Amino acid sequence: RSSPSKPSPVSDFRRDICPVPILSRPFLASARPRIGWICSILASALLLADALVMLLAPGVLAAPQEHIGYPPGQLPYLAGILILGVCGFLTRRFAAMGCALLTAFLGGAIASHARIGEAFSVPVLICGLLGVLLWVGWLMREAATEIPGAAS
């Protein structure tokens, strides 16, 4: 005879707290990659707009660059880093590298503003929100491609 198997207390506890896993519902599971792509494209568009201003109208950013302590001649290099990061971020193969590069770029911008005493200024908050938007977008759009229970 086989004895009836007792469910483990951990699985009962999980079942009592959330009887149906939230992200396994059909609508939310299918909406996750769409929301991820919307976040990714929004953040990418804002970063590309910044890069285009750096390339096409460097005079607009000359005074703020000098205020932070960077010479305006570095703007094309910064724009190149942004464009490279966004291109990588929007491709599937290099999305993680692009996300890391853009996060480092935004972190450098936050550190530059914090260095001159503008720790909680509007540019710092925008950089922080863009960083969060990048990661949320990447994680939500990539989570749809994972196979549950598969070992890598």
Side-chain angles (χ1 to χ4, degrees), residues 24-147:
S24 70
R25 294 180 186 154
F27 172 74
L28 291 177
S30 67
R32 223 170 32 167
R34 278 188 230 123
I35 293 169
W37 276 109
I38 290 169
C39 292
S40 296
I41 290 171
L42 178 63
S44 298
L46 292 171
L47 291 169
L48 281 178
D50 187 28
L52 287 176
V53 170
M54 288 180 193
L55 287 175
L56 301 177
V60 173
L61 297 176
Q65 284 290 99
E66 287 178 9
H67 174 69
I68 292 175
Y70 294 116
Q74 290 183 342
L75 286 175
Y77 301 115
L78 296 175
I81 292 170
L82 272 178
I83 292 170
L84 183 69
V86 168
C87 289
F89 178 66
L90 291 177
T91 60
R92 183 172 169 82
R93 176 174 275 186
F94 299 109
M97 245 186 336
C99 192
L101 179 66
L102 292 172
T103 302
F105 183 88
L106 294 171
I110 290 172
S112 295
H113 281 280
R115 183 181 60 84
I116 61 170
E118 298 178 353
F120 297 105
S121 64
V122 174
V124 169
L125 296 176
I126 290 171
C127 287
L129 289 174
L130 275 174
V132 169
L133 198 61
L134 283 170
W135 280 95
V136 166
W138 178 60
L139 291 173
M140 288 185 82
R141 76 180 201 223
E142 291 299 318
T145 62
E146 292 178 3
I147 300 171

